Amino acid sequence: LAIVLAGIGFTAYPSPCFAASSILSNIPSPSKFKEAIVSVLDGMSQSGTKGMVAYVLSFTAWTMTVGVTTPVETAAGMAFPLKQSIPLSALGKIGGAFCQYVLAKYLFSDYAREKMKDNEWMGKIDKSFKSHPFGVALIWRFSPLPEFVKNVGPSLVKTLKTRYQLLAILAHGLPFTILWSFMGAETAAVARGGEASVLLKRLVAIISSVG
């Protein structure tokens, strides 16, 4: 998208300043971006089972590539009924994170470990995972790292069992999926003239205290 916008900008405006201005003017704002996602998900929600399957597969691919899941989960909460948005978003996000971990672990980890065998940090990380596999995997999930690093990093640890990583993904991902789905549903309800529920405020307080 950036390349396309750049090409349009430089074609229309020979000056770099004008080109940059054109590119920036074509980048959607966060609110416009979320509106576009909600519009697409509205169409999916009205398509029944096909729409739900399309959303899960699309969100899985999104999680594995883009990695920023909060706007999508919130938009899904606005577009789908809550009893559908929570399991669908959970399947897409957790499935995407787990697939990325598995692909990295069984296809690329040997090569990566060979390249990093002399890195002292890898030895320390391996020891920490060996001593407390689930605890360290969970800390890794809660760390302020990009989603790609959270999923691929643990795959390089040979001693980490896949079940611990899956449990960490579930323990970290599911509460936030519930929160963002509720946020979306509540936003949609308020937009229709309703009021935010007490449950949402409690969920926000609980999850904020966890991290």
Side-chain angles (χ1 to χ4, degrees):
L1 177 60
I3 294 171
V4 172
L5 292 176
I8 293 171
F10 277 103
T11 301
Y13 304 98
S15 166
C17 293
F18 280 115
S21 176
S22 174
I23 293 168
L24 291 173
S25 66
N26 281 284
I27 296 175
S29 65
S31 60
K32 292 290 184 182
F33 179 66
K34 184 170 285 188
E35 286 175 11
I37 294 178
V38 173
S39 177
V40 172
L41 294 179
D42 271 333
M44 289 183 177
S45 68
Q46 294 169 12
S47 300
T49 303
K50 290 182 180 180
M52 289 188 285
V53 171
Y55 169 58
V56 171
L57 294 177
S58 300
F59 194 26
T60 299
W62 175 279
T63 303
M64 295 176 67
T65 52
V66 180
V68 181
T69 59
T70 301
V72 181
E73 291 177 285
T74 307
M78 297 173 70
F80 289 94
L82 201 56
K83 64 181 180 181
Q84 293 179 354
S85 66
I86 292 175
L88 293 177
S89 292
L91 281 172
K93 182 172 76 173
I94 293 169
F98 186 65
C99 285
Q100 195 173 52
Y101 167 80
V102 169
L103 287 173
K105 183 178 180 68
Y106 294 105
L107 294 181
F108 309 112
S109 61
D110 289 339
Y111 175 79
R113 277 196 296 267
E114 180 64 25
K115 289 291 183 181
M116 301 177 69
K117 62 181 179 181
D118 297 325
N119 189 308
E120 62 175 325
W121 281 104
M122 282 303 298
K124 293 178 181 179
I125 292 171
D126 188 72
K127 286 180 181 178
S128 65
F129 271 102
K130 192 172 183 178
S131 301
H132 306 284
F134 175 68
V136 176
L138 192 59
I139 291 172
W140 196 279
R141 293 300 307 174
F142 276 97
S143 65
L145 296 170
E147 188 70 18
F148 176 82
V149 178
K150 291 181 182 182
N151 297 330
V152 175
S155 72
L156 305 181
V157 181
K158 197 170 185 178
T159 57
L160 179 64
K161 302 295 184 183
T162 299
R163 63 177 178 270
Y164 292 121
Q165 178 67 6
L166 178 57
L167 285 172
I169 291 172
L170 285 168
H172 170 264
L174 192 56
F176 284 103
T177 293
I178 294 171
L179 173 62
W180 300 130
S181 297
F182 265 99
M183 288 284 283
E186 291 293 314
T187 301
V190 170
R192 298 187 189 102
E195 295 183 359
S197 67
V198 176
L199 177 59
L200 176 64
K201 297 175 183 177
R202 289 176 179 172
L203 280 171
V204 172
I206 292 170
I207 295 179
S208 296
S209 66
V210 173

